[in-house]
Amino acid sequence: METDRNASNAAKPAFNQALFAPVMNHKALDFFNTFAATLAPHPELDRFLSFARSYVGSGKALRALGVSIGNFIAGGEDVGHSETAMNLGAALELYQSSALVHDDFIDNAPTRRGIPSVHVQAAREIGADAAGPVTILVGDLLLSLNHLATEHSLKDLDAKTAHRISSYMAQITAEVAWGQYLDVLTEKHPLSDPEALRRYVYDVIALKSGHYSVMRPLVLGALLQDPSPHFVEMLEKIGRAWGVAFQMRDDEIGVFGDESVTGKPTGSDIREGKRTILITMALSRTTGADRELLEDALGNQNLSEEKLVRVVELIESSGARLEHEKAIANLAEEGRKYMRELKLDEEREAALTQFGKVLLNREF
């Protein structure tokens, strides 16, 4: 991940995501295994840990990348060169694992990254009545590891900075819980007024996903350097715009993505009944039998493959996907506008720009 100082930013990226993610995944898994070795032996311990371990060390590590970039653009070391930022990123990835365990149970998602979700594993190995309790406990274990890893990452910092970072990390985890609660309520919202539903969904994904996926990691990393209030404010505006766009891209992938690439069944968001901005756009653009087909499909776990294909085609043909793409592009530009107000040097602006492209130009 060394940056060639003699090459232009256009010719040489500020970081290599393909190299960064495995490093971060290894860090998170190594911390998990180190902790696991401290637990007293028990016949059931290996199975409990295997449930949790299945969610650690295999993600895209985009939130950890956000931490390292936030630290870099605020005046810290190059991306991938700050051990503190990397360790803090690993702590955030452990929390990501915790959130996914709980999220998959809430959504009744059968797989994650191509493997059975924890609640599915628990149901198969222990019994259906144990699936919920086991999932809650596995997620709680990973949340606890986030606390431990955060403290570990701050061990060499002064007390004021350490307190600032640990408080902000706690704010992140609490905010996601609040956002997840609102997301649960979203599924109860009626489909009769797509415009009102879209406004509600936008606010929820800004809080639950936009903040957590992009804005909070960037600020978390920047706080290692004690940035000015103005710097933090601009970073929040950038991260909020790109974070909402990131979630919108994720929702689009959930409908149109290739299962062999995403590791998640294509169309699963439709069967789960997820209210997304893309879906609200499709609802606004359909009437009659098409609108009825779309509404009947949402949340129908028994939806046939034939009808699912028809729904996906309908979302495309209605123009909703194109409208959705334009909205993502507008949010991307909004973030770039605020980025210019930061007046970063060429190298740091290139890193932040590249991060935006990594977030939005993806297929999984």
Side-chain angles (χ1 to χ4, degrees):
M1 286 181 292
E2 288 283 351
T3 299
D4 184 354
R5 300 289 187 173
N6 297 319
S8 68
N9 285 317
K12 189 74 172 180
F15 58 87
N16 187 328
Q17 170 64 8
L19 297 178
F20 184 89
V23 171
M24 291 310 310
N25 287 329
H26 177 77
K27 273 186 171 291
L29 188 58
D30 185 59
F31 191 90
F32 179 96
N33 290 333
T34 299
F35 166 79
T38 68
L39 297 175
H42 187 279
E44 195 60 38
L45 179 61
D46 284 347
R47 178 157 63 181
F48 180 57
L49 292 175
S50 73
F51 289 147
R53 191 181 285 109
S54 68
Y55 271 58
V56 178
S58 60
K60 297 181 290 293
L62 292 178
R63 290 159 188 83
L65 178 58
V67 173
S68 282
I69 289 175
N71 174 65
F72 175 49
I73 65 173
E77 296 173 80
D78 287 358
V79 177
H81 290 257
S82 167
E83 192 66 20
T84 299
M86 297 283 277
N87 287 337
L88 191 60
L92 194 55
E93 289 301 318
L94 285 165
Y95 174 65
Q96 168 69 353
S97 297
S98 167
L100 290 178
V101 168
H102 287 158
D103 195 51
D104 285 345
F105 176 64
I106 292 170
D107 292 341
N108 196 28
T111 61
R112 169 68 62 177
R113 298 169 184 161
I115 63 172
S117 303
V118 167
H119 65 275
V120 173
Q121 296 179 50
R124 289 176 181 174
E125 296 190 27
I126 303 174
D129 58 339
V134 168
T135 302
I136 292 169
L137 295 170
V138 168
D140 286 352
L141 170 71
L142 292 166
L143 175 59
S144 298
L145 290 185
N146 162 262
H147 299 328
L148 288 172
T150 299
E151 291 303 310
H152 170 74
S153 68
L154 305 178
K155 64 183 186 303
D156 296 326
L157 301 181
D158 63 89
K160 182 178 179 181
T161 303
H163 176 72
R164 181 169 65 240
I165 297 295
S166 62
S167 296
Y168 197 80
M169 182 69 86
Q171 181 181 352
I172 292 173
T173 61
E175 184 177 61
V176 172
W178 164 231
Q180 183 66 66
Y181 170 78
L182 293 176
D183 194 36
V184 169
L185 298 185
T186 302
E187 308 310 313
K188 306 298 181 183
H189 262 249
L191 304 175
S192 56
D193 188 346
E195 298 303 319
L197 177 59
R198 187 183 311 176
R199 290 191 294 270
Y200 182 87
V201 169
Y202 185 96
D203 289 341
V204 172
I205 67 172
L207 179 64
K208 178 197 171 188
S209 304
H211 286 193
Y212 164 61
S213 298
V214 183
M215 186 260 276
R216 297 297 183 194
L218 284 172
V219 174
L220 184 68
L223 290 177
L224 289 169
Q225 303 301 320
D226 195 17
S228 70
H230 173 74
F231 190 95
V232 171
E233 181 184 358
M234 289 301 102
L235 209 53
E236 287 175 341
K237 290 181 177 180
I238 296 164
R240 190 174 293 112
W242 286 356
V244 172
F246 172 84
Q247 182 58 47
M248 289 174 66
R249 173 69 70 217
D250 199 64
D251 292 336
E252 184 177 299
I253 292 169
V255 172
F256 297 100
D258 183 343
E259 183 175 348
S260 65
V261 176
T262 65
K264 183 178 180 180
T266 300
S268 59
D269 286 355
I270 293 172
R271 287 193 171 103
E272 291 165 15
K274 288 186 67 174
R275 269 63 165 167
T276 65
I277 290 178
L278 176 63
I279 291 298
T280 66
M281 288 176 173
L283 288 169
S284 295
R285 289 171 168 270
T286 52
T287 58
D290 287 343
R291 175 69 173 267
E292 185 177 349
L293 172 64
L294 183 55
E295 290 189 6
D296 289 346
L298 290 174
N300 182 358
Q301 295 286 345
N302 298 315
L303 186 69
S304 69
E305 285 298 319
E306 180 185 359
K307 283 192 174 181
L308 177 60
V309 169
R310 287 172 57 196
V311 170
V312 171
E313 291 174 347
L314 176 61
I315 294 172
E316 177 94 51
S317 63
S318 70
R321 187 179 187 181
L322 180 59
E323 181 185 2
H324 197 255
E325 277 296 322
K326 290 179 179 177
I328 290 174
N330 289 337
L331 286 165
E333 177 53 35
E334 181 181 337
R336 289 192 292 268
K337 180 189 73 173
Y338 290 122
M339 180 181 68
R340 291 190 284 271
E341 293 188 32
L342 283 177
K343 302 187 185 305
L344 299 169
D345 62 40
E346 185 178 2
E347 189 176 11
R348 287 176 168 81
E349 182 169 303
L352 189 53
T353 299
Q354 185 184 342
F355 182 51
K357 292 178 179 178
V358 168
L359 291 170
L360 303 182
N361 301 338
R362 61 194 179 92
E363 297 180 350
F364 65 98

